[in-house]
Amino acid sequence: MSQEGYDKLVAELKELENVELPRVREAIAEARDKGDLSENFEYHAAKREQGRLLSRIRFKQRVLEHARVMDMSRLSTDKIGLLSKVEMTNMNNNAKMCYTIVSPHEADLRQGKISIKSPVGQALLNKTVGDTVEVNVPAGIQHLRIDNITLE
């Protein structure tokens, strides 16, 4: 995982624990004060929200427990790997693309970050500049030529 991704995950976890959870607990207390809990919709909704939040908190804690921040100085641009920025050409339509290969928890297509576990990420792994890769994606088979490899 990149340092940026790790820091973002830590910030999200702190936000959930220090802002969202107290807000939900306050909503539960408020709803409880309104009387009969068996027919109190606000109480049940707040309890469901609390369960959802606690589940997200536990998930993020587990991810952080097992996360390893990559040392950028030990990475190479000879072959495609985690945190490689890959410039390529789609041979089917000559479109140029640029993606960074990241951990599944950092993937965000809008930012040009694709998961190492995605079909494209798997196909690109360990390839070098000049290689042509055939990727089976939902839209069909894509032929990609690797033009350049840099580090994010």
Side-chain angles (χ1 to χ4, degrees):
M1 172 175 281
S2 69
Q3 184 67 49
E4 174 191 356
Y6 183 85
D7 293 343
K8 186 177 175 185
L9 208 52
V10 168
E12 286 175 22
L13 181 60
K14 283 182 181 177
E15 169 82 12
L16 290 174
E17 290 175 332
N18 300 331
V19 178
E20 297 295 319
L21 197 56
R23 181 185 56 78
V24 169
R25 286 187 174 143
E26 188 176 305
I28 290 171
E30 227 174 85
R32 188 179 290 132
D33 291 341
K34 292 183 180 176
D36 184 18
L37 296 182
S38 65
E39 295 181 14
N40 189 333
F41 174 77
E42 291 172 359
Y43 175 77
H44 294 292
K47 286 297 275 186
R48 271 195 304 277
E49 177 68 13
Q50 181 184 32
R52 191 183 66 77
L53 265 175
L54 289 173
S55 175
R56 286 180 57 205
I57 288 170
R58 281 192 298 272
F59 174 75
K60 290 189 185 298
Q61 286 171 336
R62 273 196 307 278
V63 168
L64 287 171
E65 279 175 27
H66 300 289
R68 236 182 37 207
V69 176
M70 299 292 290
D71 180 3
M72 296 297 283
S73 66
R74 300 184 72 207
L75 299 177
S76 163
T77 57
D78 297 340
K79 290 184 178 181
I80 297 173
L82 196 59
L83 303 180
S84 293
K85 187 173 186 176
V86 183
E87 293 174 29
M88 58 195 138
T89 304
N90 183 336
M91 302 303 283
N92 299 347
N93 59 11
N94 266 353
K96 300 277 186 190
M97 301 181 286
C98 185
Y99 293 117
T100 302
I101 311 296
V102 296
S103 75
H105 303 289
E106 297 178 83
D108 185 354
L109 198 54
R110 288 189 195 114
Q111 293 181 2
K113 296 179 178 184
I114 60 171
S115 170
I116 195 165
K117 294 189 177 186
S118 69
V120 174
Q122 288 285 297
L124 292 174
L125 206 55
N126 293 320
K127 300 296 189 259
T128 59
V129 173
D131 288 353
T132 301
V133 179
E134 190 173 287
V135 184
N136 192 2
V137 294
I141 295 177
Q142 284 188 339
H143 297 277
L144 306 172
R145 184 184 67 227
I146 300 166
D147 299 327
N148 193 20
I149 303 169
T150 57
L151 292 176
E152 182 61 12

